Amino acid sequence: MQLKYQQVEQFLLYQLKNGDFKEGDKFYSEAELKKRFDVSSATVIKAINELVSKGLLVRQQGKGTFVSRARRGKLVKFFDLEKDNDADETVTVLSIKREHDPRILKELNLASINSYFHIIRLRCSNNTPVQLHHTYLVSEYFNQVALKEPSYYESIYEKIRQDSGIDLFSTPSDETTGILFPAPQQVKTLLQLQSEQQPIAYIRRHSYLFDDKAIEYVESYKRWDYFKIQIKTV
């Protein structure tokens, strides 16, 4: 038996292959698909993501989803290579606060009356601090349990999938990486950098739901000696 998202995907695939949409046409909105199939946002997002991964649809931030003009293309995969794949890793939640900083509200495309939850986590490899994460999570997807038990969000994506049925590992995202030098003092302290001459990788990422609605914005800082990216065509 097919899952709900597979049923939605198959119907949409039929429409695309049957010529109901032309290349470059704007595709259905999330609201239209939810109403048409009487399913949840998570189901719609999963179906659309499958079609995006097949190269049949493309997303344009702030505009929506469109039928691909180039149905076939070369895909690439990015690999964040670790210094030691067999290392003993731990994640510690340092703090969780409700905030409404205008800079972050802008990154999340939220109005000034809104707020979000700021989750700070430190990842260690064999007891060495490797990466500092600042996750800004839209309030409606935050579980209040974490205010009493911060460790609840040691794995944020797993908890969001558990609580909301949304798989942030496969939802659309954009990410930029740069090098910071010198490192901010707080980052230098938490990552235990011994020298002023050590740069760090600074990574910014937005994760989106369907129709380009942001669910999280992340700023993370990673030690230069643990940072390596590999790109492969598939």
Side-chain angles (χ1 to χ4, degrees), residues 62-80:
K63 295 182 179 180
T65 303
F66 295 81
V67 179
S68 176
R69 293 182 182 277
R71 295 299 182 85
R72 300 186 64 173
K74 183 175 289 188
L75 300 177
V76 297
K77 284 188 176 182
F78 291 78
F79 300 89
D80 186 356

Side-chain angles (χ1 to χ4, degrees), residues 3 24 28 64 72 86 92 96 100 107-108 121 132-133 145 148 162 164 166 177-178 188 197 214 229:
L3 300 176
Y28 296 113
R72 300 186 64 173
D86 296 324
T92 303
I96 299 178
H100 51 272
E107 295 287 353
L108 291 169
R121 298 177 302 149
L132 179 66
H133 297 275
V145 169
K148 293 184 178 180
Q162 174 183 308
S164 305
I166 297 171
T177 300
K188 177 185 172 184
Q197 305 303 313
I229 295 291

Side-chain angles (χ1 to χ4, degrees), residues 80-138:
D80 186 356
L81 302 181
E82 295 295 340
K83 184 175 181 179
D84 184 358
N85 290 328
D86 296 324
D88 181 19
E89 287 202 352
T90 59
V91 176
T92 303
V93 179
L94 302 180
S95 67
I96 299 178
K97 295 180 181 179
R98 182 189 287 271
E99 297 177 344
H100 51 272
D101 184 335
R103 180 179 75 87
I104 303 301
L105 290 173
K106 183 177 180 180
E107 295 287 353
L108 291 169
N109 197 26
L110 294 174
S112 58
I113 61 172
N114 294 124
S115 62
Y116 56 84
F117 282 91
H118 181 188
I119 306 168
I120 303 179
R121 298 177 302 149
L122 182 66
R123 183 166 70 91
C124 295
S125 177
N126 288 337
N127 296 318
T128 298
V130 171
Q131 193 164 13
L132 179 66
H133 297 275
H134 288 260
T135 297
Y136 305 95
L137 183 63
V138 173

Side-chain angles (χ1 to χ4, degrees), residues 13-23 25 71:
L13 184 60
Y14 172 81
Q15 287 196 312
L16 288 168
K17 292 188 174 182
N18 197 43
D20 292 356
F21 289 87
K22 296 181 181 179
E23 294 179 0
D25 282 353
R71 295 299 182 85

